[in-house]
Amino acid sequence: MAQQLSFEVMNLSLPFGDESRDPDHKRRVQGGVCTTDVVVSAYMGDNAEVFPKILALHVPRGAEIADVTYGLGVFWRKVSPKDYKPIASDLKTGVDCRNLPYEDASLDCVVLDPPYMEGLYRRENGHLAGSGSHGAFRTAYSNGEETTTGPKWHDAVLDMYFKAGTEACRVLRERGVLIVKCQDEVSANTQRLTHVEIINYYAKLGFYAKDLFVVVRPNSPCVTRLKKQVHARKNHSYFLVFVKTSSPRSASSHPSQNREQVSRKRRLQRP
Ligand SMILES: C[S@@+](CC[C@H](N)C(=O)[O-])C[C@H]1O[C@@H](n2cnc3c(N)ncnc32)[C@H](O)[C@@H]1O
């Protein structure tokens, strides 16, 4: 209940953003209730459990949400259709998330969860991850087809996130929300922090990384043919929450930094 109340209050003042970014934001007044009933940043569980919490915190009920890599619709299994109804699309239904059939600045929220590992972007179908008895994995996590053009290996994963993020930026309204699912990976024996690479690139598009959620798998990952372990086996993934702003920024710049820089400059310019 407390969580619901604070969400409604946030909506009244600034539907899609972060109050620290609101130029008219007044000084914080002490108040509210003491509660442990809050959305937290890390959960052990699955996507279907975490996704509704992210919507409740960051997206007003009734918003126009396009899930552009809808897949099996797992994210939506525990979302009440009374609160949110997704506009679902996927390459499997003929819509490429890099070329969406929506007008510029027409949506409140975009959800993006493309194939997240380089094994799902191979040039030959027989080399794609999830062969034989793991065929269900391939069907759930990709469209099951080989990638014929563009960069290879981990760079193919990034290319998809970068192009789809650019397209999401086009169709989102100012202060619209982009929810991105991703997982880091070790590719060619090299640690690739996909979530950092995405945050840095999206910052250049004007996306403010407003929140980050870690989802930890409840079961232990199984490794076959392990000789010597070099990197920690990944058992976590991320939901990143971005807000579209009109000003490209560096990922490290804090939203309040620009205002602070401007007022410092003004102080220095005073006679
Ligand atoms: C990780 S799964 C998404 C799972 C989904 N979030 C769910 O809840 O079931 C990745 C999905 O991206 C789709 N996909 C792959 N390339 C795509 C593209 N270029 N445009 C749109 N969808 C794509 C695949 O068909 C697959 O359904």
Side-chain angles (χ1 to χ4, degrees):
M1 185 61 185
Q3 181 191 319
Q4 196 58 46
L5 276 176
S6 60
F7 178 60
E8 299 292 358
V9 170
M10 186 191 87
N11 277 349
L12 284 175
S13 55
L14 193 64
F16 286 102
D18 177 329
E19 292 178 347
S20 64
R21 296 172 65 75
D22 180 0
D24 301 327
H25 180 56
K26 305 277 184 315
R27 271 186 99 78
R28 188 181 292 275
V29 178
Q30 293 291 329
V33 289
C34 179
T35 177
T36 53
D37 183 17
V38 287
V39 176
V40 295
S41 59
Y43 289 93
M44 183 171 285
D46 59 30
N47 295 332
E49 287 164 45
V50 181
F51 185 69
K53 298 181 199 300
I54 298 173
L55 287 183
L57 185 59
H58 290 293
V59 184
R61 278 194 293 268
E64 278 191 285
I65 308 176
D67 184 339
V68 298
T69 46
Y70 185 80
L72 304 175
V74 174
F75 287 0
W76 298 90
R77 283 187 185 158
K78 293 187 179 169
V79 174
S80 166
K82 280 194 228 131
D83 293 337
Y84 305 97
K85 280 197 197 80
I87 308 163
S89 66
D90 194 287
L91 199 56
K92 288 170 185 158
T93 64
V95 179
D96 193 318
C97 60
R98 295 162 292 185
N99 184 20
L100 295 170
Y102 310 122
E103 298 285 316
D104 294 0
S106 59
L107 295 169
D108 301 321
C109 177
V110 171
V111 178
L112 176 66
D113 177 24
Y116 61 88
M117 56 190 276
E118 53 110 342
L120 294 167
Y121 290 87
R122 293 286 161 82
R123 289 291 152 101
E124 285 182 43
N125 199 283
H127 295 174
L128 282 173
S131 57
S133 58
H134 295 93
F137 169 86
R138 188 189 293 183
T139 314
Y141 287 96
S142 78
N143 67 333
E145 287 176 17
E146 64 279 9
T147 305
T148 50
T149 55
K152 288 183 180 174
W153 314 111
H154 182 71
D155 290 335
V157 178
L158 291 184
D159 192 59
M160 175 64 82
Y161 277 101
F162 293 174
K163 287 187 175 142
T166 305
E167 181 65 348
C169 191
R170 180 186 70 76
V171 299
L172 277 171
R173 297 194 172 107
E174 179 71 10
R175 290 190 181 280
V177 175
L178 172 58
I179 302 174
V180 176
K181 185 77 208 302
C182 67
Q183 184 167 331
D184 301 333
E185 66 176 346
V186 172
S187 172
N189 289 324
T190 305
Q191 181 71 258
R192 301 298 297 261
L193 298 179
T194 312
H195 77 287
V196 176
E197 294 174 302
I198 292 172
I199 289 170
N200 285 338
Y201 187 88
Y202 283 17
K204 289 187 223 146
L205 298 176
F207 280 117
Y208 159 53
K210 186 183 178 193
D211 225 334
L212 178 152
F213 295 82
V214 179
V215 184
V216 179
R217 274 170 63 164
N219 53 346
S220 300
C222 166
V223 184
T224 51
R225 290 179 290 166
L226 177 71
K227 286 189 183 150
K228 184 176 184 308
Q229 185 166 12
V230 179
H231 299 99
R233 178 79 184 179
K234 310 281 180 219
N235 68 338
H236 71 286
S237 57
Y238 303 91
F239 277 104
L240 308 175
V241 180
F242 295 94
V243 176
K244 177 178 167 179
T245 73
S246 49
S247 52
R249 60 183 65 247
S250 79
S252 58
S253 69
H254 186 274
S256 63
Q257 238 169 27
N258 286 348
R259 278 208 306 274
E260 178 54 31
Q261 276 161 4
V262 169
S263 43
R264 199 179 307 139
K265 214 168 163 188
R266 282 200 192 125
R267 279 198 300 274
L268 289 172
Q269 281 168 352
R270 268 185 214 139

